[in-house]
Amino acid sequence: MIAALIFYMFAGLAVVSAGLVVTARNPVHSVLFLILCFFNAAGLFLLLGAEFLAMVLVVVYVGAVAVMFLFVVMMLDINFLKLREGVAQYLPIGAVIGIVLLIELAMSYAGWTFAPDVEAMLASPAPSGGEITNTAALGQLIYTKYVYLFQASGVVLLIAMIGAILLTHRSRSGVRKQKIYDQVGVTAKDRIEIRKVSTGGGI
Amino acid sequence: MLSGLLPPELWRLIVIVLQILVIVVPLLVAVAYLTYAERKVIGAIQLRKGPNVVGPLGLLQPLADGAKLFLKETIFPSGSNKVVFVMAPMLTFTLALIAWAVIPFDEGWVLADINVGMLYLFAISSLGVYGIIMSGWASNSKYAFLGGLRSAAQMVSYEVSMGLVIISVLITTGSLNLSDIVMKQKETVWFVIPHLPMFVIFIVSILAETNRAPFDLAESESELVAGYNVEYSAMTFAMFFLGEYANMILMSGMAVVLFLGGWLPIVDMAPFNWIPGVIWFALKVCAVLFVFLWVRATFPRYRYDQLMRLGWKIFLPFSLIWVVLTSGVLVAFGWLPGQG
């Protein structure tokens, strides 16, 4: 009973905050609601017994991705009124995407009524039996069976990162850089020279 | 006897609430006296006396400070976003408290002995940045905003190397459970010995992660007045302060669990193992906290670009190499845990 109550709390809050992400007037509030939504999703993962995924969701999405969103949204000078104007124009496309996603979700939930073979392929969110933690189970799958796909996705991320750097990088001339190794490597000999100065002669 | 009167679920709830109080109340006292210790230690280092007027040896000073902050008026800057403005210090303070749920004080003395304890701690510490960035934005003030942005970049950068440090310890342990990490150190050796360079990186990273000197760029008073909390007063300010110090204690606790053998005595023999584990844990936490204060009194503040260079160009590659090295050694000598 308590588990069901907690499920409805997380699920309800997730839906409400997801709605507020789209409708909030202030973009910073939108990002904050997005964070709340991530948290509720993590809570749902916890209820499923997928504690590793729940924690990774918080670390990656809330701890890193949403921070970057917040950073960008706070720094940009956005005209809120102009943003509002385009809503009616984009609404149909957004609605179509939403409906497609909804149908996909319904298919995956009720898949066995459309295609009875699907039931054999149902994955359990947490390893059954309980003698192995789901961190270990995920690790064994990712690093053995799916190792090439895992590495490939890493390479894709690397390419995206290099691309982003390449796009924004501009080489500037005349920039004075601090060369730490040169500074640390300096000895007294490089800087001070002792000379015998003859009286009245100068150097 | 009493447990028969109530339904079992309610009874369990009451027990959990009591357990939480047993952790939180001493923690708040520790936070209060950490501020006192900080002023005394820095006073001693700078050949001053530190607080010595309120109560014997100034021992009541933290209480006096607390009472003062409690009685002051909370001022909202005009143009501030009030909800976010109030939420930010509450968030900082709450996050500093809830992380303690997974810290083991002694064998079996832990509120939630979960499998992913280390990840939970890492997740909570990565959320700490929100309190600061939200306060900086909601204050609607240049200095606060700059402080918040700086601090956000700083904390995100140092989390990366901190994560890799934690990974090299986790590979050696084969478990994310904090109690398991300590028990592994009982079987083998404190991880500070095989992972000494990682311990040093971890200590420096937690200084940056808690925004302490020499990395206190978020509140560098010489350029940003006081950084993100410049607009805060009274209890909202006090909560930032409490959160910061509770975070210091938490990070020290993390360092103790990961590297200094948690509740284990220095040597497992007669006079040392008579002392209960929780005392050992407290002593080790105090030792790490002393390093925090010592560093603050010793080093000048880093420049911002140097801070970023240290995090990304030195700590990150080094800890990455160390992860590869650790796993290489573990595989080569067949020491890899959790093979069964």
Side-chain angles (χ1 to χ4, degrees), chain A residues 102-170:
Chain A
L102 192 70
I103 292 172
E104 276 181 3
L105 267 178
M107 293 280 277
S108 67
Y109 180 69
W112 52 90
T113 52
F114 301 122
D117 308 342
V118 171
E119 196 154 9
M121 290 153 71
L122 272 183
S124 71
S128 56
E131 75 274 9
I132 183 169
T133 62
N134 62 43
T135 315
L138 265 177
Q140 281 167 8
L141 270 183
I142 290 175
Y143 289 102
T144 54
K145 198 172 167 191
Y146 298 113
V147 64
Y148 294 117
L149 287 174
F150 181 68
Q151 291 292 336
S153 64
V155 172
V156 169
L157 283 177
L158 182 68
I159 290 170
M161 192 171 84
I162 293 172
I165 293 171
L166 201 68
L167 283 175
T168 52
H169 183 78
R170 58 200 160 96

Side-chain angles (χ1 to χ4, degrees), chain B residues 2-3 5-22 111:
Chain B
L2 198 61
S3 58
L5 297 175
L6 295 163
E9 276 132 11
L10 197 65
W11 181 246
R12 257 182 67 198
L13 201 69
I14 292 172
V15 169
I16 289 176
V17 169
L18 285 177
Q19 282 174 334
I20 291 172
L21 282 180
V22 167
L111 183 64

Side-chain angles (χ1 to χ4, degrees), chain B residues 41-106:
Chain B
V41 167
I42 293 180
I45 290 173
Q46 296 171 346
L47 301 178
R48 295 181 286 111
K49 279 193 171 140
N52 62 349
V53 177
V54 189
L57 295 171
L59 272 171
L60 297 178
Q61 184 69 47
L63 301 181
D65 289 342
K68 190 195 90 174
L69 284 169
F70 191 71
L71 294 172
K72 291 258 176 180
E73 183 195 354
T74 306
I75 300 166
F76 292 99
S78 61
S80 68
N81 193 314
K82 296 219 172 39
V83 180
V84 182
F85 188 79
V86 176
M87 235 161 72
M90 279 159 60
L91 189 75
T92 305
F93 184 56
T94 318
L95 287 174
L97 291 187
I98 58 172
W100 283 91
V102 294
I103 299 276
F105 299 95
D106 200 340

Side-chain angles (χ1 to χ4, degrees), chain A residues 60 66 71 78 80 128 174 178 191:
Chain A
V60 175
F71 223 86
I78 303 172
F80 305 137
S128 56
Q178 185 180 16
R191 293 284 182 272

